[in-house]
Amino acid sequence: GPTTCDSVITFNAAYGTAPKSIIVAAQAKDGGTGTAAARQIYVSGSNTTTFTVKMNSSPADSEVNWFYYWVVE
């Protein structure tokens, strides 16, 4: 399986300062095979144009994990 699962979210416009990014893990749905909660999902870094989401445990091959995010300026 994969050794990491990083996702970079890019904003459609730059913020004046890096906003706070909050992750809410969802259960498997709509054909998903894993849960982001089980993978210990977290925001690893952010700046004015992007934030990065990582998982502490590696997903299985072709595993689909769902999460929601909220960005607060």
Side-chain angles (χ1 to χ4, degrees):
T3 57
T4 185
C5 186
D6 298 354
S7 298
V8 177
I9 310 300
T10 303
F11 307 129
N12 69 335
Y15 286 88
T17 59
K20 303 292 184 205
S21 301
I22 302 164
I23 296 294
V24 178
Q27 294 296 318
K29 65 172 197 163
D30 299 331
T33 55
T35 68
R39 299 289 172 219
Q40 301 172 345
I41 191 170
Y42 65 97
V43 175
S44 67
S46 63
N47 58 48
T48 59
T49 58
T50 66
F51 71 94
T52 302
V53 175
K54 291 190 174 199
M55 296 183 179
N56 272 339
S57 60
S58 299
D61 289 339
S62 302
E63 182 176 296
V64 176
N65 287 278
W66 288 87
F67 64 89
Y68 304 96
Y69 63 90
W70 183 29
V71 177
V72 181
E73 188 171 18

